[in-house]
Amino acid sequence: MARPVTLFTGQWADLPFETAVAKAKSFGYDGIELPCWGDHFDVEKALKDPGYCKGRWDVLKSHGLKNFAISAHLVGQAVCDLIDERHKSILPPEIWGDGSPEGVRKRAAQRMIDTAKAARKLREAAPEKIDFPAVVNGFTGSSIWHSIYAFPPTSQEYWQKGFDDFATRWTPILNEFDKVDVNFALEVHPTEIAFDIASTQRAIDAIKGHKRFGFNYDPSHLGYQGVDYIKFIYSFGKRIYHVHIKDAWWGKGTGEVGVFGGHTTFADPRRFWDFRSPGHGDIDFKRIIVALNDVGYQGPLSVEWEDSRMDREFGAAESCAMVKKIDFKPSAIAFDGQFDR
């Protein structure tokens, strides 16, 4: 069969877990990618309550759904970031604490370690074998993102300090991921230590090619930057541990706002780029499917639905149907291999 199509419920965490699961099933999905916020997946409960992970699976199984990954973008962002008041709105109170930046970063790092352990417990509670490595998707944050535009003049030494900081903070986390046989998949994304192909390679080099460091491939964050999102697949195929199906369009604004966003909110018609429901933007998903087959990725395709211009239930159902229509298994034979038979 083709790859399972799942729904990332990070944008649905305003709904109770059971409600989101029922909706995902009604939309046609094969599974759920669980966010570590809302009530969809609680890392602390997973570690402390012996029946918690089984309970998550019981709900999923009752709707015929599976789980292949959990996501910890919000806490992961705080590991390397320069912490300010914005982080308080996305972090659990116990991670924010008194807001002291270094304290926040250290608590976030410990929570990421705990998240790996919780992911392992969730996988072990699965009612049947899942032939896909356990993975935690997320962000890393970055201490140098604010310097992306090189003025005041920014040296390579300055930027290298940011990659060194990333390596110092994330190598111990990745070592703990390795102990429990869980992969970490960074969603390469503006504001992260890796946001294009060049910075992705630099991040891999910084952590000395740690085998637990890979990527949650999301083309939407690459396309509007002008990054070749197909080349990304061929460059890092063996480190693609999970895939998001998310669309974007660019070059559609009024000319008043550039690629940096102009301090406008999503769906402002002046914007140069915006996220769109899959199939309504400029991402070529058919090429992506071919490239994923070429590099051997056969894991889930997880719809991360973000489109401020569309009803989300309509969009989620339409997206599921679209992905199932364009996905296909790679061929096991050469197309002309039968000519001489």
Side-chain angles (χ1 to χ4, degrees):
M1 62 177 292
R3 285 164 278 238
V5 180
T6 63
L7 178 66
F8 177 37
T9 56
Q11 287 75 25
W12 305 71
D14 57 310
L15 302 178
F17 172 62
E18 292 82 356
T19 302
V21 169
K23 285 184 179 293
K25 178 63 175 179
S26 72
F27 299 151
Y29 287 94
D30 303 311
I32 292 288
E33 175 192 346
L34 289 172
C36 298
W37 55 88
D39 74 339
H40 292 207
F41 189 74
D42 188 313
V43 169
E44 289 188 297
K45 286 184 179 179
L47 295 180
K48 295 177 181 178
D49 182 347
Y52 179 79
C53 289
K54 180 180 181 300
R56 298 289 94 175
W57 277 108
D58 287 345
V59 175
L60 290 169
K61 188 176 180 181
S62 70
H63 290 85
L65 298 180
K66 294 183 178 181
N67 168 263
F68 302 92
I70 65 174
S71 291
H73 294 69
L74 306 186
V75 170
Q77 184 69 36
V79 174
C80 287
D81 260 11
L82 303 178
I83 303 299
D84 62 38
E85 64 271 16
R86 298 171 302 154
H87 293 82
K88 185 176 183 179
S89 67
I90 66 170
L91 294 174
E94 67 273 15
I95 303 301
W96 176 256
D98 62 1
S100 172
E102 187 58 20
V104 172
R105 287 188 283 264
K106 288 182 177 178
R107 289 188 291 273
Q110 182 58 53
R111 178 59 60 85
M112 292 304 296
I113 291 170
D114 291 343
T115 302
K117 296 175 181 178
R120 172 49 52 199
K121 290 194 68 173
L122 181 66
R123 178 57 59 88
E124 291 176 350
E128 58 187 64
K129 181 174 170 49
I130 303 293
D131 292 322
F132 181 71
V135 61
V136 173
N137 299 318
F139 291 150
T140 59
S142 171
S143 64
I144 52 174
W145 173 254
H146 68 286
S147 66
I148 189 68
Y149 196 85
F151 192 84
T154 310
S155 67
Q156 286 297 331
E157 289 75 16
Y158 183 97
W159 280 322
Q160 188 57 44
K161 289 179 182 178
F163 284 94
D164 292 344
D165 177 72
F166 158 69
T168 297
R169 295 181 186 277
W170 275 92
T171 298
I173 298 172
L174 294 168
N175 289 341
E176 295 301 317
F177 269 69
D178 194 35
K179 289 179 182 178
V180 292
D181 191 21
V182 174
N183 291 329
F184 175 72
L186 167 62
E187 188 169 332
V188 174
H189 181 299
T191 76
E192 308 313 314
I193 195 64
F195 54 89
D196 59 12
I197 291 174
S199 57
T200 296
Q201 185 58 58
R202 196 163 177 174
I204 293 171
D205 294 342
I207 46 84
K208 297 181 173 23
H210 201 296
K211 68 178 183 179
R212 293 300 175 179
F213 181 67
F215 307 107
N216 176 42
Y217 174 73
D218 186 331
S220 70
H221 303 298
L222 301 172
Y224 73 81
Q225 294 186 72
V227 178
D228 188 334
Y229 54 87
I230 301 298
K231 185 174 183 179
F232 187 97
I233 296 174
Y234 290 112
S235 298
F236 307 111
K238 298 306 179 184
R239 288 183 182 269
I240 293 178
Y241 296 152
H242 193 262
V243 169
H244 270 179
I245 299 294
K246 191 167 76 174
D247 211 342
W249 70 9
W250 51 90
K252 302 296 195 294
T254 63
E256 299 171 71
V257 177
V259 70
F260 296 130
H263 300 306
T264 58
T265 54
F266 290 118
D268 188 314
R270 297 172 295 172
R271 287 176 63 88
F272 174 81
W273 71 273
D274 223 327
F275 294 127
R276 295 306 317 274
S277 188
H280 291 265
D282 294 322
I283 298 296
D284 188 341
F285 289 105
K286 291 182 179 180
R287 286 190 67 197
I288 286 173
I289 295 300
V290 172
L292 291 174
N293 281 342
D294 284 348
V295 301
Y297 177 82
Q298 285 298 306
L301 302 175
S302 187
V303 171
E304 182 182 19
W305 193 87
E306 294 183 357
D307 190 331
S308 298
R309 291 175 166 88
M310 185 183 292
D311 175 79
R312 68 177 176 177
E313 296 200 10
F314 172 87
E318 183 192 52
S319 298
C320 182
M322 186 277 286
V323 178
K324 290 190 173 185
K325 182 178 179 180
I326 65 171
D327 187 34
F328 56 87
K329 291 176 62 177
S331 177
I333 61 171
F335 74 90
D336 58 353
Q338 312 307 312
F339 288 176
D340 59 353
R341 297 198 174 200

